[in-house]
Amino acid sequence: MPTVTSTPLRAHPTARDPIAAEQVVAYVRGQIERGELKPGDRLASERELVLTIGVSRPSVRAGLRSLATMGVVTTRQGAGTFITAGPPALVNEPLGMLAALHGITREGLFEARRVLEVSSVALAAERATGDQLAAMSDEITGMYTSLEDPQEFLRHDVRFHRAVAAGSNNLVLSALIEMVASLHYEQRRVTIERARNELRSEADVHRRIYQAIRSRDPEAARTTMDEHLQRALARMVSEETGGTDASQPPQGDTGS
């Protein structure tokens, strides 16, 4: 009987290899760390990456998807893949899944917002540039012009908080606030239609926050933001339960 020799099976040369995909991530990271790629720069084409890194095209695509999930790159149809420009953004899907898995409460979300935003607004009062102050002012104006359109009002509300975070000039704080604010937006857009009568007072408190920042008064900015977020939690509870009195924070509030 002839001897049968076996050879180990090899992956198809075009198959996606998780280790190879990590090589793609490491390669792009190295370019960024060496200053060869900066925000807004276009990456090499998939074909060029295949030849340079020595991996398959599916592995290149898998690596690029991982980088997109991290918020490092963005793909423009017909134009290529680019290093994300602007402030860093952490995708909120992981936090959303953790919220569902571990039952992160609305109160827990607001507690995180208070810790982050009360600190960032004080920094914004010290550090915000003229352009950043102008961005905040534009969103305040947008709130007042959309008092009859709660969904549009909410978009200006979220963008105002984003502008304040940017004004802190701390990229880590900005990214964390962006992630938490995304979850808040998803929760509140379902209920804000019930808050039409409250929108003007909401715009007013945002204007007071802006005025404290513009006046370079960190303590006033901190106090006003803290009071705003406490009342925002009370208002959100009221919207969800169909109540109307959201003028005071919840009794026994523990910093959420």
Side-chain angles (χ1 to χ4, degrees), residues 70-255:
M70 298 174 201
V72 175
V73 303
T74 183
T75 299
R76 301 175 197 166
Q77 191 65 35
T81 302
F82 296 80
I83 298 296
T84 304
L90 301 176
V91 270
N92 67 319
E93 283 86 350
L95 183 57
M97 284 190 287
L98 286 174
L101 182 62
H102 298 291
I104 293 176
T105 64
R106 173 184 50 217
E107 289 77 14
L109 178 62
F110 267 81
E111 184 172 64
R113 285 192 67 193
R114 285 179 67 190
V115 168
L116 294 168
E117 294 202 49
V118 169
S119 297
S120 72
V121 75
L123 292 175
E126 298 172 350
R127 301 175 178 176
T129 65
D131 287 345
Q132 289 167 337
L133 288 170
M136 296 176 211
S137 179
D138 287 346
E139 299 307 333
I140 297 295
T141 300
M143 288 185 202
Y144 282 107
T145 59
S146 58
L147 294 175
E148 301 302 318
D149 184 349
Q151 295 297 333
E152 182 63 18
F153 182 96
L154 179 58
R155 285 187 282 271
H156 286 293
D157 184 340
V158 170
R159 288 199 291 262
F160 173 78
H161 284 269
R162 182 183 293 152
V164 171
S168 74
N169 286 290
N170 182 303
L171 293 179
V172 177
L173 269 178
S174 296
L176 291 171
I177 289 170
E178 175 70 22
M179 183 168 60
V180 173
S182 296
L183 281 185
H184 166 69
Y185 172 77
E186 291 302 321
Q187 289 182 0
R188 198 172 183 221
R189 69 187 180 89
V190 178
T191 64
I192 194 172
E193 295 291 341
R194 303 172 191 167
R196 286 178 178 270
N197 295 335
E198 303 289 337
L199 296 186
R200 182 171 290 278
S201 64
E202 287 194 41
D204 289 344
V205 73
H206 284 86
R207 181 173 60 185
R208 290 198 298 275
I209 293 169
Y210 164 70
Q211 288 170 338
I213 296 171
R214 188 185 62 188
S215 298
R216 304 299 182 185
D217 189 338
E219 192 54 43
R222 187 194 307 271
T223 300
T224 309
M225 178 67 84
D226 191 42
E227 291 174 353
H228 161 55
L229 290 177
Q230 290 190 61
R231 283 168 172 73
L233 173 57
R235 185 174 291 112
M236 197 166 173
V237 171
S238 177
E239 290 169 13
E240 291 185 2
T241 59
T244 58
D245 183 10
S247 60
Q248 297 297 326
Q251 294 298 314
D253 181 65
T254 58

